[in-house]
Amino acid sequence: MRDAVRAAQPTPQQVFVTSVSHLSAGMRLLNDAHAELERATLAVLTESLARGCHTDVAMSAHDWVVSRCPWLSRAQVGDLVTVATSVRQAAHEPIREAVTTGRLPVRRAARLVRCLQQVRSVT
């Protein structure tokens, strides 16, 4: 019986050779899943802020997201809140569309929105 089990188990070299391509594919799938989750989170957050869910419980948008999504880093929360509050404005429709379709990650959209806000404050 032990011989049959040993014969069925791959050697470490076989696992490594087989696993490299699987690991790469797995990482791509995880990246895609993360991006999709980020877009879904943004969509729900945008709607929640539009409906005033955070004000119903007397919280800032940032604090409300932190309390609802404890797994997000503070930077991620800041980026999500920045984008969610800005994409409701008609001027930021191209940003909303780019994020929604996956052409622009939330962190880059947040950076873009912050830059646009700085430009507006100068003009």
Side-chain angles (χ1 to χ4, degrees), residues 14-79:
Q14 289 170 323
V15 170
F16 180 74
V17 170
T18 304
S19 296
V20 169
S21 62
H22 290 287
L23 289 173
S24 294
M27 292 303 287
R28 282 191 302 275
L29 286 172
L30 287 172
N31 183 58
D32 294 345
H34 175 74
E36 187 64 33
L37 177 61
E38 186 177 61
R39 287 191 298 273
T41 303
L42 179 64
V44 171
L45 176 59
T46 301
E47 185 63 25
S48 298
L49 295 181
R51 294 183 184 198
C53 293
H54 61 296
T55 58
D56 291 345
V57 291
M59 296 177 102
S60 69
H62 191 276
D63 290 341
W64 187 83
V65 175
V66 168
S67 71
R68 300 304 188 273
C69 305
W71 62 88
L72 294 174
S73 70
R74 290 191 122 359
Q76 289 172 311
V77 170
D79 289 347

Side-chain angles (χ1 to χ4, degrees), residues 114-123:
R114 289 181 187 114
C115 287
L116 290 171
Q117 289 169 343
Q118 290 175 349
V119 170
R120 275 196 202 109
S121 66
V122 172
T123 58

